[in-house]
Amino acid sequence: MSVGTTQTRQGLGGRLAALSRIVELGPGRVDPKLLTDSGQLLLRAGDRLKLSSEHTVVALAGGTGSGKSTLFNAVSGLELSPTGVRRPTTARAHACVWGLDGAGPLLDWLQIQWRHRFARASALDKGEGRLHGLILLDLPDHDSIRALTDTEADRLIQVADLVVWVLDPQKYADASTHRRYVTELAGHDAVTVFVLNQIDRLSAEELAECVADLNDLLRREGVEAPVIVPTSATRGEGVDELKAVLAETVTRRGAAVQRLEADLDRITLRLLKAMPEEGVPVPAASVDDARRIGLTDSLCDAVGVPAVGEAMENVYGVRSAEWVGWPYTRWAARLRPDPLNSLRLGDLKDEIRGAAAG
């Protein structure tokens, strides 16, 4: 691991520790939903950072008919994921791994079934060394009927190091995708890529218009510098360009940390909104009389006020005897130990003795 990556992880560790402290002290002060989301992020970050840093998890996400599975097969160079025309056929996520060593625990954490795991054999990896360390996921369609009861796509979108949104010319502005996912992932520019697939259906002018419109739409939704890759999975157009983007991400070995940092940035903004505005006085806490009296009594017991009261009672008794008692009785009282000495009151003892004498 490079020095830069080590320093980045140390910085990330400090931010996670601060968030952990907020979660610890937050109950009763911070919105429970926000605390729950923060706790889930801490768990996710802890799990991911313990797993392979040599692998980058890239999820191909998209709606029905976007050609996501066809693109998955085109990138992997194998027919690994079933494809369909009229209905979604990917019921479970499929994974293709370039470099299987050390990827097992990570795939287990992703909950990818064994029968849906595929490894690129060395004979097939000629010219694909730049993708070594890539774990490419083909997710179920997020807008299918099955997705209403199965949240596998949502879960993997939340934990993937890099999310590649596969869009098609007909539904690239689909509200369900943008409102549920793109807007929520605003600020994740470094770990989000957009693919405009099926460009073989468009003329050159239509393609340029679609790319420009998609770019404007994404910027309005908070994606400052969207990365858009036009492809045609069926013809292989743009697949090499997408591979180049993935290879750059895999080579850096930093997508996992970048994803966690982006998630932290987003949760930090939510926490800042929950904080009182600077300069606005915090309203004083209201405590009822019964609790105030109970707290006062408890504090008095804790510092020994009853014991001091009893000692003062004895002091007054001794002093009164010195003033009005018989001479022989006063002489005998002087032989008794002073009750103030047993309390170890220090300089306060003289003040109490003077008050009693007065």
Side-chain angles (χ1 to χ4, degrees):
M1 184 183 298
S2 65
V3 175
T5 304
T6 303
Q7 293 175 347
T8 301
R9 286 206 170 201
Q10 291 175 347
L12 178 62
R15 296 183 64 188
L16 291 173
L19 182 61
S20 176
R21 186 64 172 165
I22 292 175
V23 172
E24 178 184 354
L25 301 177
R29 300 181 177 89
V30 182
D31 178 46
K33 177 64 166 60
L34 184 52
L35 288 179
T36 299
D37 293 344
S38 300
Q40 291 176 349
L41 174 57
L42 288 171
L43 291 175
R44 185 165 71 249
D47 290 342
R48 182 62 184 95
L49 292 176
K50 289 187 295 186
L51 297 168
S52 174
S53 62
E54 298 300 316
H55 289 84
T56 301
V57 180
V58 177
L60 295 182
T64 305
S66 63
K68 176 171 44 63
S69 296
T70 304
L71 185 62
F72 175 82
N73 293 335
V75 173
S76 64
L78 301 170
E79 292 294 326
L80 303 178
S81 188
T83 60
V85 178
R86 296 184 178 179
R87 62 183 178 86
T89 54
T90 306
R92 290 298 175 199
H94 292 63
C96 183
V97 184
W98 282 257
L100 195 57
D101 293 342
L106 183 52
L107 291 169
D108 292 339
W109 179 64
L110 295 171
Q111 300 179 28
I112 305 299
Q113 298 177 0
W114 279 94
R115 58 178 176 165
H116 295 151
R117 301 180 186 183
F118 307 95
R120 285 297 302 263
S122 58
L124 299 174
D125 282 338
K126 296 179 180 179
E128 299 295 332
R130 57 181 181 163
L131 294 177
H132 184 80
L134 171 64
I135 297 179
L136 186 65
L137 304 181
D138 180 21
L139 306 189
D141 301 326
H142 66 78
D143 58 353
S144 66
I145 296 177
R146 186 186 184 94
L148 297 177
T149 56
D150 190 347
T151 59
E152 182 172 10
D154 289 350
R155 176 179 61 82
L156 291 172
I157 288 171
Q158 291 295 322
V159 301
D161 302 331
L162 176 73
V163 179
V164 178
W165 287 102
V166 183
L167 310 172
D168 62 85
Q170 290 76 29
K171 297 189 298 181
Y172 68 85
D174 181 58
S176 64
T177 299
H178 289 266
R179 291 177 183 175
R180 289 180 56 191
Y181 301 104
V182 178
T183 302
E184 288 298 317
L185 291 176
H188 291 61
D189 300 28
V191 289
T192 307
V193 174
F194 299 90
V195 169
L196 183 61
N197 195 27
Q198 302 178 3
I199 61 173
D200 53 287
R201 300 181 179 182
L202 302 174
S203 64
E205 294 77 9
E206 292 173 335
L207 174 59
E209 183 179 350
C210 283
V211 171
D213 188 49
L214 177 58
N215 183 75
D216 292 340
L217 176 60
L218 294 173
R219 289 181 181 275
R220 290 196 300 269
E221 292 176 338
V223 184
E224 295 182 359
V227 178
I228 302 175
V229 182
T231 65
S232 173
T234 56
R235 296 184 179 180
E237 299 176 16
V239 174
D240 288 339
E241 286 75 6
L242 177 58
K243 284 185 178 181
V245 173
L246 299 182
E248 182 181 357
T249 302
V250 171
T251 303
R252 289 200 310 266
R253 299 284 191 268
V257 172
Q258 286 181 316
R259 172 62 193 266
L260 293 175
E261 287 179 334
D263 290 341
L264 271 172
D265 291 340
R266 188 166 185 83
I267 206 76
T268 299
L269 289 176
R270 293 174 60 188
L271 287 169
L272 288 175
K273 291 180 181 178
M275 296 288 290
E277 296 181 6
E278 187 176 356
V280 177
V282 179
S286 58
V287 181
D288 56 79
D289 293 337
R291 293 190 178 185
R292 185 181 295 106
I293 294 173
L295 177 61
T296 302
D297 292 342
S298 298
L299 291 175
C300 289
D301 292 339
V303 299
V305 170
V308 175
E310 293 177 2
M312 287 296 298
E313 183 180 355
N314 293 334
V315 169
Y316 272 102
V318 173
R319 295 297 182 268
S320 62
E322 291 179 354
W323 284 95
V324 299
W326 294 98
Y328 295 106
T329 304
R330 293 200 302 269
W331 294 339
R334 293 175 182 175
L335 301 177
R336 299 174 183 173
D338 191 338
L340 288 178
N341 292 334
S342 63
L343 296 179
R344 300 179 181 179
L345 298 175
D347 297 337
L348 186 61
K349 179 177 66 176
D350 296 333
E351 296 183 14
I352 294 177
R353 182 179 288 113

